[in-house]
C-alpha cells in the first residue's frame, strides 16, 4: 500500500493556482487578494467630527470642568463666559451656537473665537475648530450651549489621512479579504479587486442504484448522498462547485460526462467509481483521457482511491469510494488541500492539535486512522481531550450519523493498533457548524 504522505505528494504536485481575476468587491469575501491595493487619496478625505457634539476651539472651553477657586484666590477667566462660580465646584462655560453641520454638508462654516457649531458624527469640521465636545458633556442647547468639560486640541476629530495616506497599502497581496477588507476597499474607492479565484470543482456520483433526493427509492435503490455531501465539503473548502449528480456505471457514457467536465473544471471528483465488478472497465475508460492511477492508500476509512491528471489541461481528477463516510474522509485528507493550494493559501492543511484520549481507541495497524471524534476541554485545566464516536473501527465506517456528530478527526498513526486512555494523539479540526 502507498502511504498517505506519498499520495499527498503526488496530489499536491499537480496543484495549479488559477490566474488572478478582477471581480467586484462584493464578491471578493473569503478570497485571497492578488494585488497590492494602494490608496490614491487620504482616508478620511477631510477633517470630520468623530462624535455627535459641538465643534469648538479647545482654548475656549479650557476652563470647563475646572474646580472653581476659593474666594480669596486669584483667578483669571479671561473673556470666557462662565456659569456662576461656586468655590470648590466645577466651572461650566457657555458658548453661543452659530450653526449646525450634518454629514455630507458642502456649505463651509467658519468658526469665530468663543463660538460653537453643533455637529453630527462624520460631519465636516468648521474652519478654525480644532476639537469636538461630546454631546454628553453639554446641555444640548441650540442657542447657547453649556459645556461642562473641556477637551484637548484634536479631541474627537478624525483628521485627514488618520486612517491611510496616499500611497499606503490598503490591502496586501496574500491577505484574505474579509468584511473589514471589503469595507476598506470601498472606503478607498475601489469597486473591483484582483483575487485568486475559487477553483471550479465538479462532483459526479456513479451508481445504477442511486436516485436523487426528490424521488422515493425503490427496491435495492439508495439516495445519492455523495454528490450533495462532497459538493458541500468542496464549498466549505472554498471551491466553486458544479454538482453534476448521478451517472450510470456504463464506462463509455461516464467517460463522456467526465470529458465534458474537464473543460469547465480545475478539479473533478468522482465517487463510486472504485470497487465493484465494473471498476476496472471504468478505470480503463477514464484512463483514455490521461494518466490515472488506482491504488490502495494506507489509511482507513477510504483506502481504495484513484487519482490522475486527465484531459488536455491535465485536470486533477479523484476517484473516491462509494461509502459516504469513506468518501468524505478521503476528501478531507486528499482533495481539500488541493483546493486550498489553488486558492493561494500558504497553509492548506486543517489545523491540528494534540489531545489526550478519554477512552481506548482501536485502529488498523499499518494504516493511518482518521476516526470520527468529539474534541472537548477538560474542566479546570482547559486541556484538550478527545473521544472517538462509535468506538469500534470495524464494520461502522458507513455510519454517516456518527460523522455528523463529530467535530474532529482523530489521526491514529499507522504503527498503532490501539491507543490507551490518556495517550496523546493528533486531532484534525473539522468545519464548525454555525
Amino acid at each position: 500500500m502507498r502511504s498517505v504522505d506519498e499520495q499527498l505528494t503526488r496530489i499536491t504536485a499537480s496543484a495549479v493556482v488559477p490566474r488572478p481575476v478582477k471581480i467586484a468587491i462584493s464578491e471578493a469575501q473569503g478570497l485571497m487578494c492578488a494585488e497590492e491595493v494602494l490608496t490614491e487619496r487620504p482616508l478620511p478625505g477631510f477633517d470630520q467630527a468623530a462624535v455627535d457634539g459641538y465643534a469648538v476651539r479647545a482654548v475656549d472651553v479650557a476652563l470647563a470642568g475646572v474646580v472653581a477657586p476659593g474666594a480669596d484666590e486669584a483667578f483669571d477667566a479671561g473673556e470666557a463666559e462662565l456659569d456662576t462660580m461656586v468655590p470648590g465646584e466645577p466651572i461650566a462655560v457657555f458658548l453661543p451656537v452659530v450653526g449646525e453641520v450634518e454629514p455630507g454638508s458642502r456649505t463651509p462654516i467658519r468658526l469665530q473665537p468663543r463660538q460653537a457649531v453643533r455637529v453630527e458624527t462624520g460631519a465636516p469640521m468648521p474652519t478654525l475648530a480644532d476639537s469636538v465636545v461630546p454631546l454628553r458633556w453639554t446641555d444640548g442647547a441650540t442657542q447657547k450651549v453649556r459645556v461642562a468639560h473641556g477637551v484637548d486640541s484634536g479631541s474627537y476629530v478624525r483628521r485627514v489621512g488618520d486612517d491611510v495616506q496616499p500611497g499606503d497599502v490598503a490591502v496586501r497581496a496574500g491577505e484574505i479579504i474579509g468584511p473589514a477588507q471589503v469595507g476598506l476597499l470601498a472606503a478607498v474607492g475601489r469597486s473591483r479587486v484582483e483575487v485568486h479565484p475559487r477553483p471550479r470543482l465538479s462532483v459526479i456520483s456513479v451508481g445504477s442504484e442511486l436516485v436523487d433526493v426528490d424521488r422515493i427509492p425503490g427496491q435495492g435503490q439508495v439516495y445519492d448522498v455523495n454528490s450533495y455531501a462532497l459538493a458541500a465539503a468542496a464549498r466549505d473548502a472554498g471551491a466553486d462547485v458544479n454538482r453534476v449528480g448521478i451517472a450510470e456505471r456504463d464506462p463509455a457514457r461516464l467517460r463522456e460526462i467526465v470529458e465534458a467536465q474537464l473543460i469547465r473544471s480545475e478539479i473533478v471528483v468522482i465517487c463510486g467509481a472504485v470497487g465493484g465488478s465494473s471498476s476496472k472497465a471504468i478505470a480503463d475508460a477514464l484512463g483514455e483521457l490521461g494518466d490515472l492511477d488506482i491504488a490502495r492508500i494506507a489509511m482507513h476509512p477510504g483506502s481504495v482511491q484513484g487519482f490522475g491528471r486527465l484531459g488536455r489541461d491535465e485536470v486533477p481528477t479523484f476517484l473516491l469510494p462509494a461509502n459516504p463516510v469513506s468518501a468524505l474522509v478521503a476528501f478531507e485528507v486528499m482533495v481539500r488541500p488541493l483546493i486550498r493550494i489553488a486558492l493561494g493559501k500558504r497553509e492548506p492543511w486543517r489545523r491540528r492539535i494534540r489531545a489526550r484520549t478519554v477512552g481506548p481507541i482501536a485502529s488498523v495497524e499499518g494504516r493511518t486512522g482518521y476516526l470520527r471524534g468529539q474534541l472537548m476541554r477538560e474542566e479546570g485545566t482547559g486541556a484538550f481531550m478527545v473521544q472517538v464516536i462509535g468506538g469500534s473501527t470495524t464494520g461502522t465506517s458507513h455510519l454517516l450519523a456518527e460523522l455528523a456528530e463529530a467535530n474532529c478527526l482523530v489521526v491514529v498513526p499507522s504503527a498503532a493498533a490501539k491507543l490507551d486512555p490518556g495517550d496523546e494523539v493528533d486531532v484534525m479540526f473539522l468545519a464548525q457548524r454555525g
Side-chain angles (χ1 to χ4, degrees), residues 23-29 182 191:
I23 62 174
I25 61 172
S26 58
E27 304 298 322
Q29 186 172 353
V182 171
S191 63

Side-chain angles (χ1 to χ4, degrees), residues 9 11 23 26 129 146 209 211 246 268 316 322 386 389 398 411 429:
T9 298
I11 290 169
I23 62 174
S26 58
R146 182 178 185 273
E209 77 282 10
V211 295
I246 302 168
V268 173
V386 68
I389 298 174
H398 64 288
V411 185
F429 282 104

Side-chain angles (χ1 to χ4, degrees), residues 233-429:
R235 289 190 193 97
D236 176 73
D240 181 8
V241 180
N242 172 39
R243 191 186 67 83
V244 179
I246 302 168
E248 295 288 335
R249 288 191 181 276
D250 177 75
R253 176 61 184 142
L254 179 59
R255 180 186 184 281
E256 292 176 3
I257 293 172
V258 172
E259 193 168 18
Q261 297 308 313
L262 294 173
I263 299 171
R264 59 178 297 176
S265 308
E266 276 83 43
I267 302 171
V268 173
V269 176
I270 308 164
C271 44
V274 288
S277 58
S278 60
S279 60
K280 185 179 186 310
I282 289 174
D284 289 343
L286 296 180
E288 296 172 7
L289 300 175
D291 179 24
L292 180 65
D293 173 54
I294 309 294
R296 292 188 70 85
I297 311 303
M299 64 178 286
H300 74 94
S303 63
V304 181
Q305 302 175 26
F307 176 73
R309 302 175 70 173
L310 306 185
R312 181 188 62 188
D313 296 325
E314 298 186 332
V315 175
T317 302
F318 294 85
L319 274 62
L320 303 183
N323 179 304
V325 173
S326 298
L328 276 170
V329 170
F331 183 96
E332 276 290 326
V333 178
M334 300 296 177
V335 185
R336 193 178 195 277
L338 194 66
I339 296 172
R340 306 297 283 175
I341 292 171
L343 282 166
K345 306 288 186 182
R346 296 186 182 90
E347 180 51 69
W349 319 106
R350 287 279 197 193
R351 182 188 170 201
R352 291 193 185 195
I353 63 164
R354 298 286 286 177
R356 287 191 293 109
T357 59
V358 173
I361 297 176
S363 188
V364 179
E365 190 171 4
R367 302 187 194 179
T368 303
Y370 295 91
L371 310 182
R372 293 147 284 183
Q374 276 282 355
L375 186 66
M376 60 200 91
R377 303 295 286 268
E378 185 177 38
E379 190 173 348
T381 67
F384 284 106
M385 305 178 70
V386 68
Q387 182 171 10
V388 169
I389 298 174
S392 173
T393 62
T394 59
T396 63
S397 63
H398 64 288
L399 298 180
L400 192 60
E402 290 182 357
L403 184 58
E405 289 298 316
N407 62 7
C408 67
L409 291 177
V410 182
V411 185
V412 183
S414 60
K418 67 182 183 68
L419 296 175
D420 295 321
D423 285 349
E424 282 201 342
V425 66
D426 277 346
V427 173
M428 180 191 300
F429 282 104

Side-chain angles (χ1 to χ4, degrees), residues 5-224:
D5 288 343
E6 186 180 353
Q7 183 73 352
L8 279 172
T9 298
R10 289 170 177 248
I11 290 169
T12 55
S14 71
V16 176
V17 178
R19 285 185 187 175
V21 296
K22 261 196 172 168
I23 62 174
I25 61 172
S26 58
E27 304 298 322
Q29 186 172 353
L31 298 178
M32 179 178 285
C33 188
E35 63 169 317
E36 298 279 296
V37 179
L38 300 179
T39 306
E40 296 180 358
R41 52 184 63 88
L43 178 67
F46 55 90
D47 291 347
Q48 57 183 248
V51 296
D52 292 349
Y54 294 85
V56 298
R57 297 192 317 159
V59 67
D60 292 335
V61 294
L63 293 178
V66 174
V67 176
D72 58 343
E73 296 180 60
F75 182 72
D76 181 11
E79 298 182 12
E81 184 177 348
L82 307 180
D83 196 357
T84 302
M85 284 194 301
V86 178
E89 294 294 325
I91 297 171
V93 173
F94 285 88
L95 296 174
V97 181
V98 297
E100 183 173 353
V101 184
E102 298 178 347
S105 172
R106 298 184 179 182
T107 303
I109 292 183
R110 184 179 180 85
L111 190 71
Q112 298 297 329
R114 294 180 298 284
Q115 291 181 345
V117 172
R118 179 74 176 263
V119 291
E120 295 182 19
T121 303
M125 288 290 290
T127 305
L128 295 186
D130 63 1
S131 54
V132 174
V133 177
L135 191 61
R136 66 182 182 276
W137 292 350
T138 73
D139 61 359
T142 58
Q143 300 296 321
K144 181 177 286 189
V145 63
R146 182 178 185 273
V147 179
H149 294 280
V151 290
D152 294 330
S153 180
S155 296
Y156 303 103
V157 176
R158 299 172 184 152
R159 294 295 187 190
V160 173
D162 268 355
D163 206 340
V164 290
Q165 295 281 355
D168 285 351
V169 178
V171 181
R172 297 188 179 280
E175 187 174 356
I176 301 301
I177 298 176
Q181 285 73 28
V182 171
L184 186 54
L185 288 166
V188 300
R190 287 291 295 269
S191 63
R192 299 174 70 80
V193 63
E194 198 169 77
V195 298
H196 294 290
R198 303 182 191 280
R200 298 170 299 174
L201 183 146
S202 293
V203 180
I204 305 168
S205 279
V206 178
S208 303
E209 77 282 10
L210 301 177
V211 295
D212 211 341
V213 294
D214 58 357
R215 293 178 55 192
I216 298 175
Q219 183 65 31
Q221 293 183 316
V222 295
Y223 286 125
D224 168 28

